[in-house]
Amino acid sequence: MRLKNWTIQDDTISGYIYNSRRYPDGTYVRTSRIIAAAYDGEMLLVHTQNSVYECHESDYKGDPEKLLAFIRTMADDDGGTTQVMFHH
């Protein structure tokens, strides 16, 4: 599933969902708590309890500093709750 026009809200992500079996394309959703994520410099792959979302950086509509802080926080996480993997 892909989120477009997405933003970060605390430990969740919200945006308009596409390629979902549950929701019609363009439905606004807010995810459950993020438990893991991977970032490759262009796309954030976000894992929640029951789903995986593709969040392309070009579709991000929030504060750029908030996105950077989110990525940095995950990179510094000790693995207890949220994990991030960087692929370069």
Side-chain angles (χ1 to χ4, degrees), residues 16-74:
Y16 296 91
I17 196 162
Y18 293 84
N19 302 321
S20 169
R21 292 182 182 173
R22 285 189 199 157
Y23 302 102
D25 283 354
T27 301
Y28 183 81
V29 298
R30 183 170 181 176
T31 70
S32 58
R33 189 177 68 79
I34 298 167
I35 57 173
Y39 180 67
D40 69 0
E42 295 179 17
M43 182 180 69
L44 190 64
L45 194 62
V46 176
H47 296 255
T48 62
Q49 183 174 352
N50 297 310
S51 301
V52 177
Y53 300 92
E54 292 179 16
C55 300
H56 294 256
E57 190 173 339
S58 60
D59 292 330
Y60 182 69
K61 298 301 177 196
D63 178 3
E65 292 298 319
K66 194 169 189 176
L67 176 59
L68 184 59
F70 177 79
I71 292 168
R72 285 181 178 156
T73 298
M74 289 189 312

